[in-house]
Amino acid sequence: MSPTSTARATTGREPKQERAVRTRAQVLDTAAELFATRGYEATSVVDIAEHVGMTKGAVYFHFKNKEAMAIAVVENNYDKWPTFLADVRARDLDPRQTILALLDRTAEAFRTDRTVQAAARLQSERSLINTPLPEPYVGWIDLLADLFAEAADAGQLKEGVSPRAAAQIVVSSFYGMQHISDVLHQRADLMDRWHELRDVTLDALLPGA
């Protein structure tokens, strides 16, 4: 039996450090839920504390203010993308199919994942947040530019199109698409709108896709 297991068996309680990590994650999940559905300005620390079932002081133990929570939500969102790419890479697809599979996975995350939705909304409301948020979009453009470069090397990118231009077009179109879907239909039609965008844009950039 490990020391951790022994401690649990002896005390019958979750170790303090593990409990703190779990509680912090719970606070952050709740903040993401409220930021996504209400927006930054309409969400208070008291709202978050009440939804978690904690006092405001207990929330402040984990985050010094609401701005810190907003930053953490956006950072959590960005932490998801390397995992998505690693999962797609593990499928050993060609460059074209890798791009399509990654963007399909991303679209589904925007439809269902509150952290992803919250981060998108926080970025659109960044003027209301009294602290700089992590820079948006650039990481996605860099990542897709590398993937489009692989597609070009494989002869799959349309002749005359630069990988970075292709990445910028896709990122701009994708984020505009998900925002319009959110504003008009709370993302209920997001996958339909993504499939339309994919069939038109990706077919043009990656002939035969």
Side-chain angles (χ1 to χ4, degrees), residues 16-123:
K16 192 174 189 178
Q17 185 175 6
E18 291 183 22
R19 185 167 65 251
V21 170
R22 180 175 58 80
T23 302
R24 184 183 188 279
Q26 186 180 8
V27 170
L28 205 55
D29 286 345
T30 300
E33 175 78 24
L34 295 179
F35 289 152
T37 56
R38 297 183 180 183
Y40 180 82
E41 196 168 36
T43 299
S44 69
V45 175
V46 172
D47 294 331
I48 294 167
E50 288 179 350
H51 276 74
V52 180
M54 298 169 59
T55 64
K56 185 170 69 170
V59 171
Y60 281 131
F61 174 80
H62 297 280
F63 298 96
K64 64 180 181 179
N65 50 39
K66 189 170 69 166
E67 289 86 354
M69 280 186 265
I71 292 172
V73 168
V74 174
E75 289 175 342
N76 271 11
N77 166 60
Y78 290 151
D79 287 344
K80 293 175 181 288
W81 307 126
T83 301
F84 286 6
L85 180 59
D87 290 346
V88 172
R89 288 286 198 191
R91 294 164 59 182
D92 197 25
L93 303 170
D94 68 24
R96 176 195 293 126
Q97 293 301 322
T98 296
I99 292 169
L100 294 175
L102 178 62
L103 290 172
D104 283 346
R105 177 81 178 271
T106 303
E108 182 61 26
F110 270 94
R111 188 181 72 85
T112 61
D113 191 311
R114 284 302 196 194
T115 296
V116 175
Q117 294 169 359
R121 182 159 185 173
L122 289 168
Q123 290 290 7

Side-chain angles (χ1 to χ4, degrees), residues 132-148:
L133 295 179
E135 189 174 41
Y137 313 128
V138 174
W140 260 113
I141 292 171
D142 290 342
L143 185 156
L144 284 175
D146 289 342
L147 293 178
F148 276 115

